[in-house]
Amino acid sequence: MKILGISCGRKMSNTEILVKEALMGAEELGAEVEFVRLQDLKLKPCTGCNACVVSLMEKGGTGDCIIRDDDFKFIDEKIMDCDGIIVGSPIYEKTPSGQLKILNDRMGPSHDVAMRMIAKKIREQKNITTGNGPDERSFKTRAASLIAVGGSEWDNLALPMLHLFTLSMQMEVVDKMLVNWVALPGMVALKDDELARARKSGRHVAHSLMKPIEEAEYIGEEGICPLCHSKLLEVRNGDSNYPIICGICGVKGTLSVVDNKVKFEVKEEDKAHSHIRLSGKFVHCDELKNVSLKPAPNVHELPQRLEKYKTYLTPSRPIS
């Protein structure tokens, strides 16, 4: 049982302390633990080239990112090799660090379990024996804990965006933890309750991996969404049937207020469309194949239409 801790914060500051405390808890239950500081790595942003999607959905390939000259392969190998993961980030302007978003973008379609399943099926159907298909480690279940650390209550998007990191690889989020009012470096080491909570979180990740992942319990704050426990909801008044959508898992439903408490109600048949379920991801893959990746009937006009944008304005750049 290998559990990886990823800190998106500064060296020996609050996030790192809590992630390490959680790893100590996991180690108490016999887990092999490893720690990575994201700031130590050089990660280039995703360019949106779609090479990973084409590799998986059309060629039955690996889905590997074509950007080679950075440290993505290093962190990718660590994530693929682990069974559980603890991800912590400081909160900058209500969200996790930009480095985590870069990593999230690089792992999005390329590591999506549904897309890798489709790639594997393509290889079987077409009897492709040359080259490599998706890494078999893609299909093992993983448990995850998320830790967000802030200096105030400007935290609305922190845990939701941390949760996004787990979506593509179908990780089972078994805990979410928000720690606020620790703006000064290292101050969380003086907060015994928060340290104990982090250690409990790490132990719970390890404990969840000792049984079938379907039996894993979520121990964080319940939130509003009955599926992903998010508190982030979007109102879509134009849809009379589904005016509310979860900002994380995308499940649709309705809101009501019962005894001064907001309740997000989702029909049983609609739960299958949640983005944290494979069924919902396969729907997304079908939409990509039949809409986004399908050439337009007038695609032959594209080169001519692009001409006016090629010569319009030269990008401003710093003088070297």
Side-chain angles (χ1 to χ4, degrees), residues 41-254:
L41 308 184
K42 175 187 176 184
L43 293 175
K44 291 187 174 181
C46 174
T47 64
C49 70
N50 265 344
C52 59
V53 178
V54 172
S55 171
L56 292 169
M57 301 273 285
E58 297 183 11
K59 301 178 180 178
T62 62
D64 287 348
C65 183
I66 63 172
I67 300 174
R68 305 292 186 189
D69 55 340
D70 67 355
D71 295 320
F72 178 72
K73 194 63 181 175
F74 168 83
I75 188 66
D76 181 29
E77 180 63 25
K78 297 297 182 184
I79 293 171
M80 292 298 294
D81 203 39
C82 77
D83 304 294
I85 194 163
I86 297 163
V87 184
S89 176
I91 302 171
Y92 301 144
E93 294 302 317
K94 302 187 180 184
T95 71
S97 75
Q99 283 178 306
L100 181 65
K101 185 63 170 67
I102 289 175
L103 179 60
N104 189 22
D105 289 345
R106 292 283 294 278
M107 293 187 64
S110 68
H111 286 65
D112 188 276
V113 174
M115 289 190 181
R116 291 197 170 193
M117 284 182 171
I118 290 171
K120 191 174 180 180
K121 189 174 182 179
I122 289 173
R123 295 183 70 83
E124 293 170 355
Q125 291 176 337
K126 296 184 176 180
N127 195 28
I128 300 174
T129 56
T130 58
N132 295 318
D135 192 322
E136 284 297 323
R137 293 175 297 176
S138 307
F139 309 113
K140 67 179 178 180
T141 54
R142 293 174 176 84
S145 170
L146 312 174
I147 303 174
V149 189
S152 71
E153 290 182 344
W154 283 38
D155 56 35
N156 310 70
L157 300 175
L159 284 174
M161 290 189 68
L162 275 167
H163 199 139
L164 289 178
F165 172 76
T166 69
L167 285 188
S168 64
M169 292 188 69
Q170 208 71 21
M171 299 180 191
E172 184 71 24
V173 176
V174 297
D175 193 16
K176 300 179 190 178
M177 178 179 171
L178 174 64
V179 179
N180 265 330
W181 308 111
V182 282
L184 298 176
M187 292 300 290
V188 78
L190 301 176
K191 295 182 175 287
D192 292 335
D193 289 347
E194 305 293 8
L195 296 175
R197 179 66 179 83
R199 185 169 289 241
K200 177 183 177 182
S201 189
R203 287 177 61 89
H204 186 61
V205 171
H207 180 71
S208 299
L209 292 170
M210 295 177 180
K211 52 187 178 182
I213 201 66
E214 296 79 15
E215 298 177 13
E217 296 180 11
Y218 174 75
I219 65 169
E221 183 182 359
E222 276 303 311
I224 299 295
C225 179
L227 279 76
C228 71
H229 310 286
S230 172
K231 295 190 287 185
L232 185 65
L233 302 177
E234 180 183 346
V235 178
R236 294 186 174 181
N237 285 326
D239 190 334
S240 58
N241 293 318
Y242 301 105
I244 305 297
I245 181 171
C246 175
I248 299 304
C249 77
V251 72
K252 298 177 180 179
T254 57

Side-chain angles (χ1 to χ4, degrees), residues 257-262:
V257 179
V258 180
D259 296 329
N260 291 324
K261 290 186 178 181
V262 176

Side-chain angles (χ1 to χ4, degrees), residues 89 133 136 150 167 182 191 193 274 280 290 298 305-306 314 316:
S89 176
E136 284 297 323
L167 285 188
V182 282
K191 295 182 175 287
D193 289 347
S274 169
N290 298 323
N298 60 336
R305 293 197 178 204
L306 290 176
T314 301
S316 298

